[in-house]
Amino acid sequence: MPSRRWILPVLVVLTLCLLPAILLGLAVMLAYPTLPSLEVLTDYRPKIPLRVYSVEGALLSEFGEERRALVKISDVPDVMKKAILAAEDDRFYEHGGVDYIGVLRAAISNFTSGGAKQGASTITMQVARNFFLSKEKTMTRKFNEMLLAFKIEHNLSKDEILQLYFNQIYLGQRAYGFATAAQVYFGKPLGEVTVAEAAMLAGLPKAPSSYNPVVNPKRARLRQFYVLRRMRELNFINDEQLQLAQQQPIVAKHGNQEFRVKSDYISEMVRQAVYEKYQEDTYTQGFKVYTTIRQQDQLAAYQAVRKGVLEYDRRHGYRGPEGFVDLKKGDSEEYMEEALQDIEDNDDLIPAVVLEASHSLVRAYCKGGEMAEVRGDALRFAQRALSNKVALNQRMNPGSIIRLQKDEKGVWQISQLPQVESAFVSADPRDGAIRALIGGFNFSRNQFNRITQAWRQPGSSLKPFIYSAALEKNFTPATVINDAPLIFDAEQTGSEPWQPKNFDNEFAGPMRMRKALTKSKNMVSIRILQSITPQYAQDYLTKFGFDVDKHPPYLTMALGAGSVTPMQMLVGYSVFANGGFRVTPYFIQRIEDANGNVLNQTQPAIAGEGAEQVIDVRNAFTMVNMMQDVVRHGTAIRAMQLGRQDLAGKTGTTSDSIDAWFCGFQPTLVGISWMGFDHPRSLGDKETGGGAALPIWISYMEKALKDVPQAAYAMPDNMAAVRINEEGHADKEGPFVEYFYQENIPSEQAMPVPSEEVKPTDTVKDQLL
């Protein structure tokens, strides 16, 4: 009997002890069947952004809600795997989804530290949470997370789970997955990250905002050091690797600097074209667009525009600081970094807060933490702002926000954000493939694409088309025209009385048409237009792709008073460069789906193979030859520093120097350079196409044509090279060689020059000097 009395209490105690386990088992039995299917994991199809590539396959940009690049676990570098395991789950390959040892360790740590500072979520649990659950901190969510972890571990291998984690986890800056994060933060493929960079990336999953190296570099550094120490504790790295990694400076990319080549404007053109075709699928289906852009050409164009604009800006003086920070409220790094946080980055023009300013030294704190000192000649540009003789808002004092830039030798220089704009585009004239396109100085500041959207006066860069029209009216390069003053009434101009002038305000009297183009003589162009009539010229311009309504049939057309876009100028000059054919510019080579299947491929019409011939090949040859003289002896003579004989082109400067152009080419490449203000105003009395736009073209062509052999322009059939005198008459003893259509040779007695005496790329001797 006494023993029976103990049975009931024992049963009660056992029931009470087993009750949690019974309830837990019951909960598992009820909850497990309701867990979501793992199909989303086994058939993983994330949103993949539109990616834009150069012709060589270099990534130029991407568009999508989520920036994501899928990577196979076998392609993840070992150092990246170890960094993740050290930071998130060092027993990942040992536990079954829930790390009980880790849970116990976290509980002890949190108890001794007096708060919940250490978590115990495994990588598998994080995969479950990221794919299926919310981030609310409730017992129900945690319970389901653990059950899902068991289910995932039962259905997938460890490497499959880790691969899902590597591709799905959010890491800040709209970056999903470590492959994308490496590109976003460091501008390099995942396979190239260092131990230090791997540790920085591995620190992000815990709190992508708090440990973001772009937004919070100091906190990111602290987290990185923790990961490095964990890697050492786990013997993933040795002492030497730890020390080197801790000493390596980490410079995170800002904005869109993760892409090695600046291509914002052309990438936006691609995005618009793809969206027009595929609508919202554009941003989620992983389309890959291979453009006609050549990586090195695009880089050369970007650098040329930046250099040209900044050189112009320095010629016109320092305008003063951008803003002011009250250093009395604080001068700590945190305070200054916060003050600079909203100041927009602009590539190498670094925003900085002046700490000390004198005539001999400017010391400043740069955004990102670097201290800079500017001394000696580097102060000359802003010297006036260091005096007390300028307005207070133009004066440089402690607290002033300025821009600093390192020169080619790494020396700090004071700079500023330019107000002027510029654009450049180049293409292959044989088929219209765009090779480089820069629509403005900085896309982040202004998305207006000046190559396709800016309607500007072309000035003298339109003259070759007027001269080309004249050739069809029996003019020749030897035709003599008077460079003398002209006055027109309102009826002739379409607006008000007009007394045009040459740029130098001088008149040279009668001269041959070739020399007039070389020297860009306005009076000659007007007289040519008078002769052929503005109506004929207006219609003729359409052959080159210009809009009729943008070029009213008045004599001001001769000086480029109509409106064009740089892209239209590219089309027009390509006609000359390719022998008379009109090609259509294109920038998308092909579009592929996420699996590499070609969805769309451009089949361009090629000059001589399907493209429409719009002018006589003899006309094109003659115009090229005349424009070669513009480069050799005329307003574009600076281009001769490239040391090539196959260059041709024309400068353009509009009234009051509002627009500056240079449009030039050789047989395989046409380049259009423009500079001006978005709200038209003078660039300055001394600014011209040859001084402002031409240097950009030269800088680009110097790199783009580096390994391109010089080309020869062969004289077409039914033409003759004839010796002429100063008056443009045929003369066997004449000092000049000129080209004529067979039907336009000056006289029957003219003797064509033997072909062996005429070099295709150097046909006219120095008669214009």
Side-chain angles (χ1 to χ4, degrees), residues 149-226:
F150 288 130
K151 186 173 183 179
I152 291 170
E153 290 272 351
H154 182 71
N155 287 274
L156 300 176
S157 70
K158 286 288 187 179
D159 279 352
E160 286 174 331
I161 296 168
L162 193 58
Q163 179 171 297
L164 287 167
Y165 179 81
F166 262 90
N167 287 318
Q168 181 68 15
I169 193 76
Y170 177 65
L171 299 169
Q173 303 292 103
R174 293 194 299 114
Y176 288 79
F178 288 94
T180 300
Q183 193 71 47
V184 167
Y185 289 111
F186 306 125
K188 61 171 63 174
L190 186 61
E192 296 179 12
V193 295
T194 63
V195 173
E197 290 166 343
M200 182 72 80
L201 293 175
L204 287 167
K206 185 175 178 65
S209 298
S210 299
Y211 299 128
N212 185 322
V214 173
V215 179
N216 294 304
K218 288 193 171 182
R219 294 184 71 177
R221 191 75 165 164
L222 291 173
R223 177 67 176 165
Q224 177 203 34
F225 274 34
Y226 163 76

Side-chain angles (χ1 to χ4, degrees), residues 548-764:
V548 168
D549 60 332
K550 297 290 186 180
H551 300 273
Y554 299 109
L555 292 176
T556 49
M557 186 197 301
L559 307 187
S563 296
V564 299
T565 67
M567 188 67 85
Q568 285 185 330
M569 297 299 274
L570 181 79
V571 174
Y573 275 82
S574 292
V575 173
F576 293 133
N578 66 28
F581 298 88
R582 181 170 159 185
V583 294
T584 302
Y586 72 102
F587 49 88
I588 294 178
Q589 194 180 68
R590 70 183 185 278
I591 302 174
E592 295 181 359
D593 65 16
N595 298 317
N597 300 311
V598 177
L599 303 177
N600 186 277
Q601 186 146 7
T602 302
Q603 301 291 342
I606 300 171
E609 299 177 28
E612 179 188 3
Q613 183 161 8
V614 292
I615 63 171
D616 191 321
V617 64
R618 298 177 300 172
N619 186 309
F621 172 81
T622 305
M623 289 309 306
V624 168
N625 191 262
M626 291 170 70
M627 284 189 278
Q628 281 183 283
D629 275 1
V630 175
V631 173
R632 290 176 188 160
H633 315 295
T635 54
I637 195 169
R638 287 175 69 172
M640 287 305 294
Q641 69 189 57
L642 295 176
R644 300 182 69 100
Q645 295 296 322
D646 58 350
L647 304 177
K650 184 69 185 75
T651 54
T653 310
T654 62
S655 297
D656 299 322
S657 297
I658 289 175
D659 294 275
W661 296 82
F662 183 71
C663 308
F665 57 89
Q666 60 93 242
T668 64
L669 197 61
V670 176
I672 308 297
S673 174
W674 168 86
M675 185 180 289
F677 290 96
D678 282 341
H679 299 287
R681 60 185 173 93
S682 177
L683 290 165
D685 292 341
K686 297 180 180 179
E687 297 293 345
T688 64
L694 178 59
I696 295 172
W697 188 91
I698 293 172
S699 179
Y700 167 78
M701 287 293 178
E702 182 179 18
K703 296 171 183 174
L705 296 178
K706 185 178 179 181
D707 298 317
V708 178
Q710 291 209 44
Y713 298 93
M715 184 174 68
D717 294 337
N718 298 315
M719 288 194 76
V722 177
R723 288 198 174 275
I724 60 170
N725 56 27
E726 290 279 1
E727 289 75 34
H729 299 143
D731 185 342
K732 287 185 286 187
E733 304 299 323
F736 313 126
V737 175
E738 191 53 88
Y739 289 98
F740 296 92
Y741 291 6
Q742 198 71 48
E743 61 268 28
N744 290 336
I745 294 177
S747 74
E748 294 180 6
Q749 289 75 34
M751 291 292 293
V753 177
S755 58
E756 61 269 17
E757 294 183 23
V758 180
K759 297 179 182 178
T761 59
D762 192 19
T763 55
V764 182

Side-chain angles (χ1 to χ4, degrees), residues 475 479-483 509-513 523-524 527-528:
F475 279 71
T479 301
V480 174
I481 303 149
N482 196 12
D483 178 33
M511 63 171 59
R512 284 170 290 114
M513 197 165 85
M523 302 304 108
V524 173
R527 283 187 164 89
I528 290 173

Side-chain angles (χ1 to χ4, degrees), residues 218-248:
K218 288 193 171 182
R219 294 184 71 177
R221 191 75 165 164
L222 291 173
R223 177 67 176 165
Q224 177 203 34
F225 274 34
Y226 163 76
V227 175
L228 288 170
R229 288 195 302 272
R230 287 285 296 141
M231 292 177 75
R232 180 66 193 96
E233 290 168 8
L234 295 165
N235 290 317
F236 289 163
I237 58 174
N238 56 38
D239 288 331
E240 183 183 358
Q241 288 175 305
L242 173 65
Q243 189 174 1
L244 286 173
Q246 288 177 330
Q247 292 174 353
Q248 181 187 334

Side-chain angles (χ1 to χ4, degrees), residues 310 313-314 316-320 322 349 381 403-404 414-418 441:
L310 291 174
D313 200 58
R314 293 187 80 84
H316 292 269
Y318 187 62
R319 293 182 296 277
E322 285 183 39
L349 298 179
F381 174 56
R403 295 278 172 167
L404 296 178
I414 293 174
S415 190
Q416 63 187 349
L417 290 179
F441 183 78

Side-chain angles (χ1 to χ4, degrees), residues 439-552:
F441 183 78
N442 183 263
F443 183 81
S444 298
R445 184 173 66 167
N446 190 332
Q447 289 81 49
F448 183 66
N449 189 338
R450 293 151 194 88
I451 293 298
T452 58
Q453 295 176 296
W455 290 94
R456 310 291 298 212
Q457 288 191 348
S460 296
S461 61
L462 195 77
K463 287 178 181 175
F465 304 101
I466 304 299
Y467 279 55
S468 174
L471 293 179
E472 297 305 301
K473 290 288 189 177
N474 296 321
F475 279 71
T476 75
T479 301
V480 174
I481 303 149
N482 196 12
D483 178 33
L486 286 165
I487 300 176
F488 300 97
D489 58 33
E491 185 178 346
Q492 291 172 293
T493 64
S495 56
E496 56 188 38
W498 179 44
Q499 186 174 359
K501 298 177 181 178
N502 287 321
F503 183 80
D504 57 7
N505 288 319
E506 295 181 0
F507 304 97
M511 63 171 59
R512 284 170 290 114
M513 197 165 85
R514 175 184 288 274
K515 185 174 182 179
L517 183 64
T518 302
K519 299 300 183 183
S520 199
K521 291 294 186 177
N522 291 339
M523 302 304 108
V524 173
S525 296
I526 293 169
R527 283 187 164 89
I528 290 173
L529 186 59
Q530 271 186 310
S531 177
I532 66 174
T533 75
Q535 290 75 16
Y536 175 78
Q538 182 191 44
D539 182 64
Y540 191 81
L541 286 177
T542 63
K543 294 175 179 289
F544 298 88
F546 296 111
D547 294 353
V548 168
D549 60 332
K550 297 290 186 180
H551 300 273

Side-chain angles (χ1 to χ4, degrees), residues 16 121 144 183 199 205 217 225 285 287-288 336 390 444 446 521 530 629:
L16 291 173
S121 286
N144 286 334
Q183 193 71 47
F225 274 34
Q285 298 306 304
F287 295 133
K288 291 178 281 189
M336 287 185 287
V390 296
S444 298
N446 190 332
K521 291 294 186 177
Q530 271 186 310
D629 275 1

